[in-house]
Every structure is written in structure tokens, then in C-alpha cells.
Amino acid sequence: MDRKGVRETEFLNKCNHLFREYKKRVFFLSRDTEITNYSKEFYNGLKELASYYYPGEKIPFDYRYLAQEIFLFERFLPTDSIFPFEGHDFSKVLDRPNSLKKDEAVLDYLVDQTRNYLFDEVSLGREYYPYETYDLQDKCVKAVDFLMQCAYEMGIKYRRFIIYPCFKRDNGVMNAVHAFLLVKLNGKTYLIDCTYSQFCSFVRCDLNRIGVPLFAGPAPGAFMQYDDSHREVALTLLNRGWIEYTDETIKAYLDGFLLSYRNGLFYERTNDFSFISPYTALDYEHFFYGEDDLFHYEKKEELGYQLKPLSNPHMLIKHR
């Protein structure tokens, strides 16, 4: 084996050792603070190894298999939402409204129907645990398809939107997508997102993930907790599943996604931990419709999966 192969084997073995120790420590824990304490130590270890073995270089291809294994493991860690919210009351049976004149009644009915559908999907009909404890990752497209069917049957105008990473279908930086629905009622537009809770778990919102090679950054919910307008949008979607579409609400909603796409190289270069997006609702509209491109304003290597390690693995992740 040549020196390159020896280096890669040594690097991967040490990363795998860290991961084994991490799994031993956190698998049976239930308190979010305990899990995040151990995860910080684990993430910092990965950053240090990457910077030591591959300074200024791309991480070896085989490391991506370990990164994927870590994502799958953390998906099943029992962590709560970073936002305390009431949760859906399944004891209340909402009848289908007789007309479309009352927006709130119609929207609550659509959300109620969709959440019942999702609960059957994730609980496999057994309903052992409260709905809020189930992870709705990868359920957004199914939820929106179901919503569209309900809206169609009720004669409601709707439009499905897909959020591609960096608001670009062929982005070259990530492959995860998210779906939401816009509906029109009595001259107003509403955004419905019944799976937003997937972006608000403690594990996915851990800012210490910033800078770990080939990791997705913290989830959108992580960046929604720092001012009233963003927090209100997140809480409204978690509690009600819908919110009126305005320039302010759509900007706040999409800001979370934009900030989640930035990786550690952005923060290392800028030292900007304000977690403020410079883009307006109109900017996001231009991105969605291909009239402008986020890559005109952001560096591609600083978006999505981080291919190179940090120059300084001890970069302080500042909580705003």
C-alpha cells in the first residue's frame, strides 16, 4: 500500500473509532443536553482528524460512507424539538367545512386530515407514541401530495413548491429537497407545511455540526430561534401547520433553509455568526423561478456538503 493509501486507512480507522465510542455513549441516553455534550466532543474530533490528515485537501471518497452511517444513526436518537409546542390534538375530529368562506376552518381541516394521514404512515397504525415524537424526515412530498388531493376535492386553488438546496434543481452541492404547498382562499395566500418538525430536533439543530466534513449543516430550525419574526413562523407551523403568506413570513421561512446550506468554510472565512440572511422575499422568488442564481452571491464551496476540512478545526462556533 502506498503512502496515500496508508494515510487514508489511518484516517478512516480513527474516524470509525470515534464513531464507535460516540454510539456507545449516546445510544441509550434520552436527555438532549447529554446527547449534545457528547456530540460536540465527537464532531470536534472529526474536525481535528480531517484537518490533520487532509489540510487544504478534499476528504477521501470512502469517508462519505461513514458520514452517511452517522446521519442514519443520529436520525433515530430520541431528541425533542428545540421549540416547545403544543402538539396536535387527535381527540378533536374536524368535520369538513360546508363552504370555503372561513379560511381558518378550511386550513385547520386540511392540516388535520394530513396529520392523521402522516400519523398512520409513521406509526404503522399502532400509534404507540405521541405524534410529535415521530420523525417526519422524507415525508414532505407524501404530505404535500395528500394535501393537493384534499385541496383538489374541495375546489381550492393550490400550487406545490419544491425547495432544492440553494434553490436550484441541479445544484451540485446537496441532494435533499423539501416540499410545501401554497393555497389561495378568499383573496389570501397561505403556506402549509405539515412536516416542519423534522427541522427542529436538537440533534439536527446542533450548531457544532458546522465544519464537520461532508456533513449537512444544522437544520433550518436552528436558525429560526434568534429573533421574534423567525421564531413566530416556526412556532406557527409547528402548532398549526399553516401560516399566511406575506413577504415577511416567506422570507423568514426560507431564511432558515438558506442559512442551513452554508457550511463551515463560510463561517471560517467571514467569522459571521449573526445568522442573518441578506435576501428578500423578492430575491427568493427570483431564485425559485430561475430569474437569478444564489451562486452569483455565495461561494459554491461554502454551500452544501463541506468537501475540505477547516483550516482551524478549533474555530469557535458562536451562538448568537
Side-chain angles (χ1 to χ4, degrees):
M1 186 182 296
D2 59 15
R3 292 181 62 183
K4 180 180 178 182
V6 171
R7 177 177 64 158
E8 181 173 328
T9 299
E10 189 173 305
F11 168 67
L12 293 175
N13 284 342
K14 289 187 177 182
C15 290
N16 275 292
H17 174 73
L18 283 180
F19 184 39
R20 287 194 297 270
E21 293 301 309
Y22 176 53
K23 287 191 288 187
K24 288 178 187 176
R25 288 180 167 187
V26 304
F27 192 75
F28 294 106
L29 296 177
S30 58
R31 294 180 58 187
D32 299 308
T33 52
E34 292 178 321
I35 292 174
T36 51
N37 283 340
Y38 285 127
S39 65
K40 179 179 181 180
E41 181 181 333
F42 171 56
Y43 297 152
N44 286 343
L46 291 178
K47 294 175 196 178
E48 290 172 4
L49 286 173
S51 297
Y52 176 78
Y53 280 94
Y54 293 94
E57 302 177 53
K58 286 188 176 181
I59 298 297
F61 183 88
D62 284 351
Y63 174 84
R64 69 188 60 198
Y65 300 115
L66 173 62
Q68 183 63 31
E69 191 177 348
I70 296 169
F71 297 155
L72 292 174
F73 171 74
E74 291 188 329
R75 178 171 179 173
F76 296 101
L77 290 178
T79 59
D80 295 327
S81 172
I82 60 172
F83 295 104
F85 62 101
E86 298 173 4
H88 189 72
D89 186 356
F90 286 93
S91 68
K92 295 180 181 178
V93 179
L94 298 184
D95 295 327
R96 176 171 169 167
N98 294 323
S99 74
L100 303 180
K101 292 181 180 180
K102 295 183 178 180
D103 295 6
E104 185 173 327
V106 172
L107 292 162
D108 285 345
Y109 174 77
L110 288 172
V111 169
D112 184 67
Q113 290 290 297
T114 305
R115 285 178 170 172
N116 275 284
Y117 163 75
L118 287 170
F119 199 14
D120 287 341
E121 280 275 314
V122 296
S123 68
L124 302 177
R126 294 191 290 267
E127 302 182 4
Y128 290 149
Y129 305 106
Y131 173 70
E132 289 70 33
T133 64
Y134 286 99
D135 182 9
L136 299 180
Q137 184 176 356
D138 302 327
K139 299 298 181 184
C140 60
V141 174
K142 281 189 173 183
V144 167
D145 287 347
F146 181 83
L147 266 170
M148 288 194 298
Q149 180 182 337
C150 292
Y152 175 78
E153 291 173 354
M154 297 176 70
I156 298 170
K157 292 182 179 180
Y158 62 84
R159 182 164 186 177
R160 183 180 76 157
F161 282 85
I162 300 292
I163 303 176
Y164 295 99
C166 303
F167 315 110
K168 187 177 177 66
R169 184 165 188 165
D170 299 315
N171 56 79
V173 297
M174 290 179 73
N175 56 12
V177 301
H178 183 61
F180 66 92
L181 196 71
L182 295 185
V183 300
K184 288 193 174 183
L185 290 167
N186 303 309
K188 292 184 178 181
T189 302
Y190 299 91
L191 186 157
I192 306 178
D193 186 344
C194 293
T195 63
Y196 194 74
S197 60
Q198 66 179 294
F199 302 121
C200 299
S201 70
F202 270 93
V203 166
R204 292 196 186 119
C205 292
D206 189 344
L207 295 182
N208 294 299
R209 296 171 71 90
I210 294 174
V212 181
L214 295 187
F215 263 46
F223 306 101
M224 302 292 281
Q225 54 187 325
Y226 296 110
D227 66 63
D228 291 341
S229 62
H230 288 75
R231 189 181 303 109
E232 181 64 25
V233 169
L235 284 169
T236 300
L237 289 174
L238 290 169
N239 283 310
R240 305 211 69 173
W242 61 268
I243 193 168
E244 185 177 351
Y245 180 105
T246 65
D247 284 351
E248 183 181 42
T249 57
I250 193 62
K251 171 178 165 53
Y253 177 72
L254 294 176
D255 279 352
F257 289 92
L258 176 279
L259 293 168
S260 76
Y261 301 144
R262 289 174 172 169
N263 63 44
L265 298 178
F266 169 87
Y267 297 101
E268 185 170 63
R269 178 179 64 84
T270 65
N271 197 36
D272 178 6
F273 290 89
S274 63
F275 303 137
I276 295 175
S277 164
Y279 305 107
T280 66
L282 185 59
D283 291 330
Y284 286 125
E285 183 178 327
H286 289 162
F287 295 149
F288 265 103
Y289 290 107
E291 297 166 356
D292 201 353
D293 193 322
L294 182 66
F295 295 113
H296 292 158
Y297 309 96
E298 309 259 339
K299 295 178 180 292
K300 191 168 186 177
E301 65 271 18
E302 296 176 358
L303 297 169
Y305 299 124
Q306 184 180 314
L307 302 181
K308 293 182 179 180
L310 298 173
S311 298
N312 174 21
H314 304 291
M315 177 182 69
L316 180 63
I317 308 299
K318 302 173 186 175
H319 295 236
R320 179 177 162 193

